[in-house]
Amino acid sequence: MSRRIVVPFGPQHPVLPEPIHLDLVLEDEHVIEAIPSIGYVHRGLEKLVEKRDFKDFVYIAERICGICSFIHSVGYCQGIENIMDIEVPKRAQYLRTIWSEYSRLHSHLLWLGLFADSMGFENLFMNSWRIREKILDAMEETTGGRVIQGSCKVGGVRRDISDSKLKDMVKDLDILSSDIEDLCHVFFDDDTVIHRTKGVGVISKEAAYSLGAVGPTARGSGVSTDIRKTGYVAYADLDFSPVVETGGDCYARCAVRARELLQSVDIIKQAVDAVPSGDIDVKVKGNPDGEYFSRVEQPRGECLHYIKANGKKNILRERVRTPTTANIPALVKMLGGCEMADVPVIVLSIDPCIGCAER
Amino acid sequence: MTIEEQKYTDIMKEDLLKNVKDKCESGYRLVQIGCGKFGDIFEINYSFEKEYSFENLRIKTTEGEKVPSISDIYWGSFIYENEIHDLFGVEVTGINLDFKGNLIRTTVKAPFNVKNVTKVKPEKKETAEKKTEDN
Amino acid sequence: MDLLIFLILFPLIAAILMLLLPNGEIRDAIVKIAALIIAVSSVYLFIETFGKGISYVTIGSETVGMAILLCELVVAIFIIAISLKFRKYIVAALAIVQTAILVYAEEFASVETGFLNELFVDEFSVIMALIIGIIGSLICVYSVGYMKGYHEKHADVKDNRKLFFFVMFLFLSAMFGVVFSNHIVWLFFFWEITTLCSFLLIGYAMDEIAWKNAFWALLLNTIGGVGFSGAILFILVYSGNGDFIYLNNLIAAGPVFAMIPAALIAFAGLTKSAQMPFSSWLVGAMVAPTPVSALLHSSTMVKAGVYVIVRFAPIFELSYIGVLISLVGGVTFLLASAIAIGQSNAKKVLAYSTIANLGLVVACAGIGTQEAVWAAILLIIFHAVAKSLLFLAVGSVEHQKKSRDIEDMSGLISTMPKVAVMMLIGIAGMFLAPFGMLISKWATIHAFVNALPPFGMLLIAMIAYGSGITVFFWAKWMGKLIEVKKKSSPLKKEATSPEMFTLYCLTGLTVITCLLFPLISGFMIEPYIVEVYNGTVSQLLSLNNMLIMLMMLVLILLLPLSLGHFSKGRTVVGQYMGARPGVSGVSFAGSMGVTKEVELSNYYMEEFFGEEKLSKTGVILTIILLIVFAAVIILNLPGMVM
Amino acid sequence: MSYLTKSPWIIHYDASSCNGCDIEVLACLTPLYDVERFGIINTGNPKHADIFVVTGSVNEQNKEVIKNIYNQMPKPNVVVGVGICACSGGVFRECYNVSGGVGELIPVDVYVPGCAARPEQIIDGIVKALGILDKKYKDSKKGGDFK
Amino acid sequence: MKLFSMTKTIFKTLGRGPSTIRYPKEPAKRYEGTRGQVEIKIEDCIFCGLCSMHCPSDAITVDKPVKIWTIDRFRCISCNSCVEACPKNCLCLNNVYHEPVLNGPLTESFTGSAEPAEVSSEN
Amino acid sequence: MTFEFFTNSSFIGAVLFILFAPLIGGIVMGIDRKITARMQGRVGPPVLQPIYDILKLFEKENMVVYESQNFWILSYLIFIVVTGVLFFAGSDILLVIFALTLAHVFLILGAYSTGSPYAHVGAERELIQLMAVEPMIIIAAVGLYQVTNSFDTAGIIQSTFAPVIVLPGIFLGMVYILTMKLRKSPFDLSTSHHAHQELVKGLTTEFSGSTLGMTEIAHLYELVFLLGFLFLFFGTAAPLIGIAVILIVYFLEVFVDNATSRVKWQFALKSCWIVTAVLGVLNLLALYLI
Ligand code: NFV
Ligand code: SF4
Ligand code: SF4
Ligand code: SF4
């Protein structure tokens, strides 16, 4: 007689902010098998390019996901701009950079909170999200939206940030970073956190690379990959290097993100120091014709917008390959042989964003 | 700002596995597999990256033709291959984790294979209601 | 008191009758009648002796004495022969040693033993007799139904029911002999018969593994037999006269003389009651048909083992020998309970729980204080009732479900409600307040606090951990029974009528013994303790507490009435399935488009409670204890030479 | 007022939203908005919940899920649709896989429009839902609908 | 301390007091630039339909012949696209969010040339 | 010092417990939630929130998978009350402990009876928790007996000096166990007062309406009982210190709840047993030395 326990994990499950389903097969609490299934939030928005003007599609692109919304719009716009050979003003590029990093901060703090919650550390969740609100405030003040910023458009950005505001933002970030450091300290040092994360969901460097993992998931395993290094928007002018950890476990992935928080603050500071004055957009004339693979570094890793157009107002194909999709194979590998209590921790350790993954 | 160079190599479907294997052996990672339908042709891009150099293999196929899976070479490719199958109706053979059309269940089968899909409103509503009653 | 002789002889006669009668209605009827007679006469014995204290019976005939010795030799020869036939040379050797010692002692010891008061009966014997008489014969009745089904299902096993019932009744006879014997050589004779009977019953299926386990049981028990015959030798060699060959005199002699024979007999008791390191035979005995297990575990065999240890308990009071025995019991209790967690085979769980509970009895007996003995006897009673119920219930389920696995009992409450409820009561009887075993455990804790410090605290620690562990494996079993995944209609006939009858009786007994427990304690156990400890007993459990227990029990019996109230006006919905239930049953729409059935198994936590690891630990620990035990005996020996 | 209004427990389900509204619902639980002030707890279990907060639109796969959650919630209960996706399908209304707002599937008591809806708005929506909850309770007591 | 690394944060938080905005008792945070709802100065509208064309969500319908400009609040994603498209600058986004409503659809129609606004759905 | 169940004082103790324990427990829990909220930088619910919650639950529909689950939960509630009544009436403490175990077994059976995967795993975990804490509680009872020479709570509480003086290890062990008994992080394995993650709501997943209400009431009774148990270590010899220490201990529990993540069952079981062995058993053995 088998001693299996078969449990449906999700799609509705309190640990999952978004629906994903796992068939969990357990023995005691050891996971014998975990087969994922997704598709609960698939909308099919890529198909909307057939209906929307390519310029208006950016509103839809940024609604691929409310967490990494801004960078999606950057990715999309960049694709169109490169097809059309539009020279985006420097200032706009810098603003895009700043907002991208804000968006990363917001996403990582959100994730840190959810991650803490997944291992039953409620206070940490609350404190992470408390800090995150400050980021959102800055976002809302500068772009007009808390989570869906809508400030990036083909040819530039919609809103400018005044220099004095930029200075204030940096000042706020300084205050914030001490809070962030406190939090990171908990994630790095606390025994109970380590108990839940160290050695859990290990994936080796080779495996991570060959499975195509991206972003912090890959960097946590020692794969140094960060699309920002390709120098899109203004990253080429800024000094930073990918945050890499070698543990390959949940702890390492967590550490990568925690350190990236501070890195983002640093990048923002650099960008604010270097931001040139000038226009924030250029006029876009005509329609795109051609194709382009536009790659951007999302909080969760490399995101790819493939755009193919044929000179009409509606582009032909927009394909988005989001980091979560790329990380799912690694996740499947990680889940084998863990404990049931680890399942939420491991699932969240890749920072899954199903909204992105399924579009 | 740097603009990434775009590299494509058009290859024959038959050579796919060989080419992918080459890529794998020379240390590329699989970035994505993406499909698009242009006219009657399905264009499938296999994107690879190695040290920030981004390259694509492209094959073309048509309705009803089968495409071999590369999941023996890149284990993780199943996610893209299943997706292509579900959204485009392209049959991919030999996937290691074959969801058999259940990765993404859609109202319209293979929606990207249909020209100008909009929702077939009235008819779909009806089925929705029938489903509800069944519950 | 001819009744004693009747109780020993009647089952014997019934047994012989069984050999003669063919399978069929008549035999079945006779089994039932004989069982009834045995039960009734044991109750009659209880009434007869009630309040009379100890009484002796003298057979006084040398012929009977000689006959017993002869039979003893026959048994020995049989054992030797069969072991030689199956090339079990160690068993044969041990049997030879033990017989040699016995013959030597009988023939060459310089004392005249005489024949006087060979049999006796006191409250303790009566309690044991009631257990044997009522539970033992109920099991025989159950076997009537069970064995028929058994052979229908196991076509490969030769139908040897004649022998089966013969041995069953013989067993009862021998058990009565054990508890009534005052003459230690007689005691030993009956003792050997039980060993033989269990050997035959375990080997009933006559296949390879049955024989293997049967011989294993025989081997371990003959080791004990050697110890027992050593005790007889000691008594005959060292005592000035033959008086000490009588149990009552030996115990009265006090620890100064009796310590060593008591220790040796207790050692035999340890083997028979399947304490570690000897526990493996009882687990192996599972291969036998279920009623056999029920018999071995509840009313016979292992009970003979603890019986002798409890008998000698007063000798052990506050002695190191006693402490060592207690520790063996304590370790056995703790580890056997822990092993039970890792088992999913119902009979194995029951086997380990028996071992554990006997460990507790042994621990109490080793402590040897009044309270401890009181607790030990209570444990024996409650364990016998509940355990036989459980075994037989498992047997009936096994017939229906073709499996002994607890996992297969999932949702039994819906398919076999009657048996399931009885099983639940049986399990509750094993570990829950206010049922029997728990009262005993409570008494045990009270007893241990006053044991020889600091060993008392060590035992407390063992029982503390052990009781946590016990809760785990019983409760998860209960959970399995009531865990209904999908309601189904109950079976028309859950078991044959003899089976159901037995189960009803035992369930009734489980509840009644709990209800009557203050009386049992007041009128049976306490007088016995007063007698052996020559004095007054302190209030063991205050009346208040007993009253509370009773009130709790009544509450539990009343609570099911609330089911009536709850069955109205509730909204029934399916289980929470992550909001993706399947179309039917307890299933959900799983990945890859398949509908998955939910499976629910218990936890076994083998990395903590693995059988192999823990057994090994237990064996090593207890062997160390036994080595110390042997050392203590040997160190004491020279001083004894007079 | 019934006690229902003092201790409304919510269950939140992300139908096919873009996460925007989703995280705003979660943000309501966190220090800045702290809906526990009103006794609100996110239970994550339909059987404990009083208020069903749905974000996002209905699609092929999740309609059974939404229905099931709704059916497993003990009465009286209310449904709050958050975000215009839940209201009408929003910007994805015309996607092939979106069949529209939540109202097409289960009765929605309160709609909170917005893309993404703000936490303050969500609080308003829930407060509005409390009134309905109270009313439903009183009605049901009159009608003797359930125990 | 390794075991209770959270201590510092906890006591800091305790000391700082709750950061909760006691909404609705206190007013909500509001920024000038927040994108709220679309407002129209219907007097200036020329019913060119550009706003409707550029609305990614098809929230606006413009009925040129009868001069009715309608917005479906259940569709509007407050994206500002229409505002940017309008040649007459008669649209703007305020910074107030729509309050929750009991049932939809929630359309508001405005008829051109200074006629009073008419609201189709109760709220 | 033997206790008489039907004496006035024990009767009063019992009645007071039945009447006021839910209120006191509710307020304690409410303050707990308030402090927790403050530690998280929030305002938190009103102090009476736990009581509102319970009252609300009784206004809700009672949804069941099988009707029998209500029976188990009712039994759970009743036996938790019995536990407390026996305790506050001054009865034998071992009996109290056994009644507590019985009550919990009922709760577990209630969870099992639903046949639901999450309740099932919750039940298994609750059993593990039960197994983890049981040794310590029994050892605590024995320790108290060793010091006060009484198994009756009535006798223990009247001890001439506070037992905690010679039972510091056991007291600390009990505090450790308390976290698990109160289902607080890091030991909120089977179900939790906060949204419980991997198990949805664990044990209580399938309970709703009044059934859930009953388990909540039982929690409150149990809370008061547990605090009472801790008070035994001080007794009437040092009542004020006792209350002060209990308040501190409770605050610490809230703090620990906020400062740790949930551990896995292996660690929970192991640590409880080791703590029991080190603090409990050694303390017991040490009693012989003094
Ligand atoms: N980061 C990110 Fe996305 C994207 N693209 C990802 O999976 O969050 Ni919703
Ligand atoms: S309403 Fe807007 S923010 Fe909310 S889920 Fe829909 S698209 Fe996302
Ligand atoms: S774009 Fe402006 S002017 Fe034209 S219809 Fe719209 S609101 Fe009126
Ligand atoms: S704000 Fe955006 S969605 Fe709303 S009406 Fe204008 S264009 Fe349409």
Side-chain angles (χ1 to χ4, degrees), chain D residues 37-98:
Chain D
R37 286 178 293 146
F38 312 109
I40 297 173
I41 293 177
N42 184 12
T43 61
N45 175 357
K47 298 195 172 181
H48 294 188
D50 309 305
I51 300 183
F52 184 14
V53 178
V54 201
T55 53
S57 49
V58 175
N59 81 3
E60 179 65 15
Q61 278 208 42
N62 66 27
K63 57 173 73 139
E64 289 146 51
V65 181
I66 296 172
K67 274 215 94 77
N68 184 256
I69 294 177
Y70 182 71
N71 289 338
Q72 291 204 334
M73 285 174 66
K75 302 220 160 36
N77 54 15
V78 291
V79 180
V80 179
V82 171
I84 59 140
C85 284
C87 296
S88 67
V91 71
F92 308 121
R93 205 176 56 259
E94 287 175 82
C95 293
Y96 56 84
N97 213 30
V98 171

Side-chain angles (χ1 to χ4, degrees), chain A residues 43 63 65-66 147-148, chain D residues 16-22 55-57 82-86 89-92 114-117, chain E residues 77:
Chain A
R43 289 149 285 176
R63 280 169 179 78
C65 172
V147 291
I148 308 275
Chain D
S16 25
S17 96
C18 77
N19 278 341
C21 291
D22 241 30
T55 53
S57 49
V82 171
I84 59 140
C85 284
V91 71
F92 308 121
C115 179
Chain E
I77 56 172

Side-chain angles (χ1 to χ4, degrees), chain E residues 40 44-52 62 69 82 85-91:
Chain E
I40 181 166
D44 297 351
C45 174
I46 54 168
F47 301 97
C48 62
L50 276 179
C51 52
S52 160
V62 178
W69 185 93
C82 51
C86 179
K88 298 292 288 180
N89 283 336
C90 61
L91 293 176

Side-chain angles (χ1 to χ4, degrees), chain C residues 20-34:
Chain C
L20 304 175
L21 289 170
N23 288 348
E25 305 258 307
I26 303 175
R27 206 262 322 279
D28 293 351
I30 290 184
V31 169
K32 287 177 196 164
I33 293 167

